[in-house]
């Protein structure tokens, strides 16, 4: 029954996107047969007023009609151009996450239920909301700490959003499963894994304690960084459904004229922004993955203040080394090393030829040499690199794609602040310093220390590993003597799975039949 409900929710979503002209606005190059026919039919069924709007406007209108879950889906896919393509990702990045306010009474109920105290006890004053997004809305309020009155921002989770998201998530998983089953070419993108990532990131975003923890961690990481900070968290007034944090008075980085009027140095801000992002990425392995200008402020002291840490990204040591080595390889024109790094990291299957891959890398790197440094985009370089790796069966690395997309946004903001921004010159102190520390003699010592610790840990586990190996040997001997046997419970589970597969196939056929009848009726009428 849940699959049937998910299917009908998908049909509703498809109808809304068709009527708002989203389907007909999607790229149709290369389509033939039934998909091309469906694209033409979608154009006939779209509203006339929708057909005159830009694709980004159509998407925004349709997604906001579909509700918070689809807004969050759109924002997430904006960080995954590998899944939806660069053009669609750019359109999704323009989504205006502005939903209707929910009642003040609902906010009060959520706060008191989450913190177990009355709003009057928690805040000196608690005011009407000033901004509403897909997950939460923000209220200005005042608190008294150590006798001092302070203004704070209070984020409150939207009522019912968790249940709504869980329902829609079934539909998202259903689409991902159909895609993996019926469109083999997209399996490399691992759509089910992408959907799991969406589910995990959104569940984290709907728990205000986890966003507060992200703010706190980045705050500790950056406490000594020049020109960058994050708001402080009021942990006493933070719970599952509410986050209270420092109120930021500043100019949004999207307001270029406002920044000039406030006397800020735009060239210095551009340099600070990119260096801060690279520090978070390479040094800390933990970065803000939604650094669009609306989430960046400049305070009166000229510090960049980042807000809204619902979407963050993490890079392990291997991924950070991979990133640094490929950037350094392009700078030094050592394309063989760039290719080797991909193979060493296990990103490109070993049945491919390293020399052929290095040749493809050279095709990316050579055109940028000889150009003025201020015209070379690091983000574009990574985009081209990921496009080439598709030819060599490199599987999607979600953490690297999220990094690349965030770098596109951050670099774009820096170039808006300074049209002559030299990305490489600004990045060198951070990237060069990290390479010297981690790939030079100091890095070798660190690797040796980490290797010794790993060996010590393995030695401690040796008795348990030997016992496991002995049990496995005995089980293999039994299988060799008696053959592979299923217990009764396993056999029943296989039977149930097969029955579900058959039922889902019949349901899918009925849904397709109903859709075709509806389209035919519409055309005839």
């Amino acid at each position: 029954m849940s699959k049937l409900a998910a299917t009908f929710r998908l049909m509703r979503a498809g109808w809304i996107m068709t009527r708002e002209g989203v389907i007909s606005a999607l790229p149709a190059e290369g389509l033939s047969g039934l998909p091309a026919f469906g694209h033409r039919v979608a154009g006939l069924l779209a509203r006339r007023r929708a057909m005159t709007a830009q694709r980004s406007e159509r998407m925004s209108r349709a997604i906001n009609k579909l509700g918070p879950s689809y807004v969050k889906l759109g924002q997430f896919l904006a960080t995954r151009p590998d899944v939806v393509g660069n053009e669609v990702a750019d359109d999704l990045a323009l989504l205006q996450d502005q939903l209707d306010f929910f009642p003040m009474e609902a906010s009060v109920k959520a706060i008191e239920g989450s913190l177990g105290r009355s709003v009057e006890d928690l805040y000196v004053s608690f005011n009407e909301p000033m901004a509403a997004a897909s997950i939460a809305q923000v209220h200005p309020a005042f608190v008294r700490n150590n006798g001092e009155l302070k203004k704070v921002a209070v984020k409150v989770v939207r009522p019912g959003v968790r249940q709504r998201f869980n329902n829609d998530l079934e539909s998202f998983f259903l689409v991902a499963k159909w895609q993996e089953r019926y469109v083999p070419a997209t399996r490399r993108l691992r759509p089910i894994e992408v959907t799991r990532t969406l589910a995990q990131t959104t569940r984290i975003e709907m728990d205000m304690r986890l966003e507060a923890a992200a703010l706190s961690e980045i705050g500790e990481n950056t406490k000594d960084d020049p020109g960058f900070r994050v708001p402080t968290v009021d942990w006493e007034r933070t719970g599952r459904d509410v986050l209270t944090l420092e109120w930021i008075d500043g100019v949004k980085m999207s307001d270029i004229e406002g920044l000039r009027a406030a006397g800020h140095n735009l060239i210095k801000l551009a340099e600070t922004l990119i260096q801060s992002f690279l520090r978070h990425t390479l040094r800390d392995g933990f970065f803000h993955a939604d650094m669009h200008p609306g989430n960046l402020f400049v305070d009166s002291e000229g510090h960049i203040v980042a807000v809204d840490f619902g979407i963050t990204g993490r890079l392990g040591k291997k991924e950070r080394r991979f990133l640094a080595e490929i950037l350094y390889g392009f700078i030094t024109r050592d394309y063989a090393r760039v290719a080797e790094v991909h193979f060493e990291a296990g990103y490109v299957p070993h049945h491919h030829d390293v020399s052929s891959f290095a040749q493809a890398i050279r095709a990316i790197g050579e055109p940028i040499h000889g150009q003025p440094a201020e015209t070379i985009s690091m983000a574009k370089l990574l985009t081209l690199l990921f496009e080439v790796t598709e030819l060599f069966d490199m599987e999607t690395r979600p953490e690297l794609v999220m990094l690349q997309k965030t770098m596109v946004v951050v670099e774009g903001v820096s170039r808006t602040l300074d049209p002559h921004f030299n990305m490489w010159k600004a990045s060198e102190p951070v990237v060069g310093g990290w390479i010297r520390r981690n790939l030079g003699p100091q890095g070798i010592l660190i690797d040796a220390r980490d290797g010794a610790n790993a060996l010590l840990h393995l030695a401690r586990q040796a008795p348990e590993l030997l016992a496991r190996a002995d049990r496995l040997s005995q089980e293999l001997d039994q299988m060799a003597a008696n053959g592979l046997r299923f217990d009764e419970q396993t056999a029943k589970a296989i039977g149930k799975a097969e029955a579900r597969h058959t039922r889902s196939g019949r349901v899918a056929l009925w849904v397709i039949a109903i859709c075709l009848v509806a389209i035919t009726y519409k055309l005839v009428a």
Side-chain angles (χ1 to χ4, degrees):
M1 184 58 70
S2 62
K3 281 190 177 180
L4 187 60
T7 302
F8 278 108
R9 282 194 292 269
L10 276 179
M11 291 172 63
R12 173 182 173 272
W15 178 248
I16 289 174
M17 287 192 285
T18 298
R19 292 290 285 163
E20 294 299 334
V22 174
I23 304 297
S24 59
L26 294 175
E29 293 82 1
L31 292 182
S32 61
L34 190 59
F37 173 74
H39 192 272
R40 288 195 296 272
V41 170
L44 295 173
L45 297 177
R47 300 178 192 274
R48 287 186 179 179
R49 64 179 178 81
M51 298 301 287
T52 60
Q54 296 291 327
R55 184 171 60 194
S56 58
E57 294 176 27
R58 302 185 199 185
M59 287 182 176
S60 180
R61 191 181 299 121
I63 287 174
N64 280 295
K65 276 187 177 183
L66 289 168
S69 304
Y70 282 85
V71 172
K72 190 50 57 186
L73 173 66
Q75 292 172 336
F76 175 76
L77 290 177
T79 69
R80 298 299 305 270
D82 58 313
V83 176
V84 296
N86 288 321
E87 291 184 10
V88 174
D90 290 341
D91 288 336
L92 289 171
L94 299 175
L95 273 177
Q96 296 299 308
D97 191 1
Q98 293 290 334
L99 275 74
D100 294 334
F101 294 119
F102 54 85
M104 186 82 158
E105 297 75 22
S107 289
V108 171
K109 184 179 179 181
I111 293 170
E112 294 180 346
S114 186
L115 300 179
R117 295 165 61 185
S118 69
V119 167
E120 291 77 13
D121 182 36
L122 290 163
Y123 305 100
V124 175
S125 67
F126 183 75
N127 303 315
E128 294 289 338
M130 56 167 292
S134 56
I135 300 295
Q137 69 181 21
V138 179
H139 298 256
F142 285 88
V143 300
R144 193 176 298 279
N145 283 334
N146 300 322
E148 183 181 355
L149 197 65
K150 291 185 177 179
K151 190 175 184 181
V152 293
V154 185
K155 287 182 70 173
V156 185
V157 172
R158 185 175 289 276
V161 70
R162 292 187 182 90
Q163 184 59 46
R164 177 73 179 270
F165 181 76
N166 286 336
N167 290 339
D168 287 333
L169 194 60
E170 290 185 50
S171 302
F172 300 160
F173 270 113
L174 192 59
V175 170
K177 288 174 183 176
W178 286 350
Q179 187 175 349
E180 284 206 357
R181 181 180 298 173
Y182 299 116
V183 190
T186 65
R187 289 174 188 163
R188 184 188 66 85
L189 300 175
R190 300 188 292 184
I192 293 177
E193 187 63 32
V194 169
T195 309
R196 285 200 189 99
T197 304
L198 167 66
Q200 179 66 8
T201 56
T202 306
R203 284 175 181 140
I204 288 173
E205 192 171 354
M206 289 188 290
D207 190 329
M208 296 290 104
R209 296 168 298 188
L210 298 180
E211 181 174 345
L215 269 164
S216 177
E217 182 177 346
I218 290 186
E220 289 183 7
N221 292 342
T222 61
K223 63 180 182 296
D224 297 323
D225 289 357
F228 182 92
R229 70 183 186 90
V230 298
T232 56
V233 176
D234 185 339
W235 284 101
E236 180 187 353
R237 298 171 178 84
T238 293
R240 180 172 179 257
D241 295 330
V242 55
L243 167 62
T244 304
L245 64 159
E246 172 191 0
W247 182 271
I248 299 300
D249 279 318
V251 183
K252 281 191 176 183
M253 292 196 81
S254 56
D255 184 3
I256 303 298
E257 293 305 318
L259 292 171
R260 284 200 183 97
H264 295 301
N265 185 333
L266 301 190
I267 295 175
K268 180 64 176 175
L269 285 175
E271 183 179 280
T272 300
L273 179 61
I274 198 67
Q275 288 182 352
S276 297
F277 172 69
L278 289 170
R279 282 191 195 99
H280 306 164
T281 302
L282 292 174
R283 181 192 65 194
D284 308 325
F286 186 43
F287 60 94
H288 191 327
D290 195 19
M291 291 183 74
H292 62 76
N295 283 341
L296 299 170
F297 293 81
V298 181
D299 65 16
S300 58
E301 297 179 4
H303 294 121
I304 297 173
V305 187
V307 300
D308 195 358
F309 281 76
I311 304 177
T312 55
R314 287 193 184 273
L315 292 179
K317 188 173 182 178
K318 183 179 82 171
E319 288 78 22
R320 283 182 270 167
R321 176 167 292 185
F322 168 78
L323 174 65
E325 286 220 55
I326 61 172
L327 291 177
Y328 188 69
F330 275 111
I331 292 171
T332 60
R333 302 174 73 177
D334 189 350
Y335 305 119
R337 180 57 190 155
V338 174
E340 288 168 1
V341 168
H342 280 78
F343 282 82
E344 289 171 7
Y347 292 159
V348 176
H350 284 279
H351 66 263
H352 286 290
D353 179 55
V354 179
S355 299
S356 298
F357 188 54
Q359 180 183 349
I361 298 297
R362 180 180 291 273
I364 299 171
E366 281 302 298
I368 70 174
H369 287 283
Q371 291 187 29
E374 60 269 21
T375 68
I376 302 172
S377 165
M378 186 186 294
K380 185 177 180 181
L381 179 69
L382 291 177
T383 301
L384 291 172
L385 178 63
F386 291 154
E387 288 177 359
V388 165
T389 54
E390 289 182 21
L391 301 175
F392 291 83
D393 303 320
M394 176 173 164
E395 286 195 350
T396 297
R397 305 293 306 182
E399 69 280 4
L400 294 178
V401 174
M402 184 176 283
L403 167 72
Q404 177 261 333
K405 182 61 178 177
T406 308
M407 190 175 285
V408 169
V409 175
V410 173
E411 188 176 338
V413 176
S414 294
R415 291 190 187 279
T416 302
L417 294 168
D418 177 13
H420 303 292
F421 180 66
N422 186 328
M423 179 75 172
W424 301 96
K425 182 179 179 181
S427 303
E428 200 284 328
V430 179
V431 177
W434 192 92
I435 287 173
R436 286 187 289 273
R437 283 190 303 273
N438 290 272
L439 302 183
Q442 184 179 351
I444 294 172
L445 291 175
I446 292 172
D447 288 344
R449 182 199 64 193
D450 292 345
N453 288 336
L455 285 173
L456 181 61
H457 181 67
L458 185 62
R460 287 172 178 166
Q461 289 185 313
E464 183 183 350
L465 293 172
L466 288 172
R468 288 182 183 176
D470 183 56
R471 288 196 299 271
L472 178 60
S473 176
Q474 292 177 14
E475 290 173 3
L476 288 172
D477 288 341
Q478 291 176 2
M479 287 173 57
N482 304 320
L484 183 62
R485 295 172 179 269
F486 289 129
D487 59 24
E488 185 178 353
Q489 186 177 358
T490 303
K492 287 182 178 179
I494 292 173
K496 287 181 180 179
E498 183 64 26
R500 281 197 301 270
H501 176 75
T502 304
R503 281 200 303 273
S504 63
R506 288 199 298 267
V507 169
L509 289 174
W510 275 107
V511 169
I512 292 169
I514 291 169
C515 290
L516 288 175
V517 170
I519 291 171
T520 304
Y521 173 79
K522 186 73 179 178
L523 290 173
V524 173

